[in-house]
Amino acid sequence: MDRLRAKFSDAVAREEKTIIPGDEVEVDFSASTIRYSGEQFAFPALGSVPQSLVIAGGVENLVSRKLGLSAVSVRV
């Protein structure tokens, strides 16, 4: 993460969210890795609650399923 902070230090210094159009990030939850710009970063395995959110496609879908409602459309 230090490399990413250094690369986007201007936005980090202003404490702004950084959106990088055109760059792709690959998140592999089963391997607990993130690939970005030719590098791979590890992260701790997700617990059961975050896993259920990812599998459901977000909190709205998870709540809808729990309430027996039709699925909410996924927004990206």
Side-chain angles (χ1 to χ4, degrees), residues 18 43 57 59:
T18 304
F43 62 90
V59 70

Side-chain angles (χ1 to χ4, degrees), residues 49 52-72:
V49 173
S52 65
L53 288 171
V54 169
I55 291 168
V59 70
E60 292 173 346
N61 289 336
L62 182 63
V63 171
S64 293
R65 287 181 190 171
K66 298 263 185 196
L67 296 175
L69 303 175
S70 61
V72 176

Side-chain angles (χ1 to χ4, degrees), residues 37-52:
S37 190
E39 294 188 70
Q40 183 169 306
F41 305 92
F43 62 90
L46 299 179
S48 61
V49 173
Q51 282 180 27
S52 65

Side-chain angles (χ1 to χ4, degrees), residues 19-59:
I19 299 173
I20 310 155
D23 285 358
E24 291 188 21
V25 176
E26 178 185 325
V27 181
D28 183 340
F29 291 103
S30 61
S32 298
T33 58
I34 297 172
R35 290 181 194 264
Y36 171 73
S37 190
E39 294 188 70
Q40 183 169 306
F41 305 92
F43 62 90
L46 299 179
S48 61
V49 173
Q51 282 180 27
S52 65
L53 288 171
V54 169
I55 291 168
V59 70

